Amino acid sequence: MKIAPGIRDITVYVSFRSFKDDWIEKNETVLNGIKWQNVDGLKVKFVCWPDEVETIEYAGKNGYECVVVPWYRHYLFPGPLKSFKNMFETILLDCDTEIFVYINGDIVLGPGILKWIQENIEMNTLYSLPRHNWEFTNKLESPEDFKDALEKAVPEEWTAIDLFAFRSTDGRKDLIPFPPFLLTAGSMDSYIVVKTGALGWKRVLIPPEDFHMLHIEHEYSHPLKPGASPEKAIKWAFNCGVYAAATQGFDINLLSDTSLECFKGAERYKFKFGYTPKTNYNSPKKLFFKLRGENEK
């Protein structure tokens, strides 16, 4: 199919960490990864919350649109909350292009990923890609810099979907309303995988032998990693219960199938790296023993 303006345009929504201190160079590396995609019909929008003033100011000064997600409040948690239910619905309703792409703010895309999505996207299909962990040393300016960094990165066995793409009309039709109280990104990711599977969507890996993305490692990248706050772990545990409630009635195979292993193309990943990502941290029991430093009984 010939790609023409307005037919397969893409909006990439990026949920950045605030543009301050050492995250300025990291965020600019993320932006460079989008710039070297070299596709037509591409829009990039920042996603942030009202208190992230530095991000809003950076977007304004550099010609980017910023989608500000409203606070969420819940009786179990004090003060304003960053709800990924609010975030997901806000950006999906904002999207006016055929293709919707979301990436976490610590993800650097390798060349060609968005072009592949633009040329291959189909109806009722969820696309994703495994990540490679990378310790940030300096800002990446070019695809050659990305290639050098990739050689030092390590593919991760992880369920987090730091990039996901689908047709925006399909997403609005099937994924709104989103279940309430989703307060962390991980619960949003896994729910999308399970929900689309329950709806009969195809799930496809962007060819992992040809395309790669870097995950900028940091101490707060997951609630189960050292350095994460107790509040984040509590919210994660809370989400496990909400996630279970939101998926009641789903086939048991779908509930246990929240990893990249469920994507068509995962066998190519296994062939290249020797294993398929399959660790499932959405089990409250697994989380309980992990927090206690014990193996699951």
Side-chain angles (χ1 to χ4, degrees), residues 70-129:
W71 294 117
Y72 185 81
R73 294 183 181 273
H74 190 273
Y75 70 96
L76 289 179
F77 300 100
L81 301 171
K82 296 179 179 180
S83 165
F84 282 82
K85 169 187 170 60
N86 275 12
M87 187 204 77
F88 181 77
E89 291 187 347
T90 298
I91 60 179
L92 191 50
L93 289 171
D94 173 83
C95 187
D96 61 359
T97 58
E98 181 186 358
I99 302 174
F100 171 93
V101 177
Y102 169 86
I103 63 172
N104 283 338
D106 50 16
I107 291 299
V108 186
L109 301 181
I113 291 173
L114 296 184
K115 185 177 182 181
W116 186 94
I117 292 172
Q118 192 177 52
E119 293 176 346
N120 292 276
I121 198 161
E122 298 178 356
M123 294 178 61
N124 300 322
T125 304
L126 175 64
Y127 297 86
S128 191
L129 182 67

Side-chain angles (χ1 to χ4, degrees), residues 210-226:
D210 298 323
F211 303 106
H212 308 92
M213 64 186 192
L214 297 175
H215 169 244
I216 300 173
E217 279 286 86
H218 54 98
E219 59 182 344
Y220 307 116
S221 57
H222 192 275
L224 301 185
K225 287 192 174 183

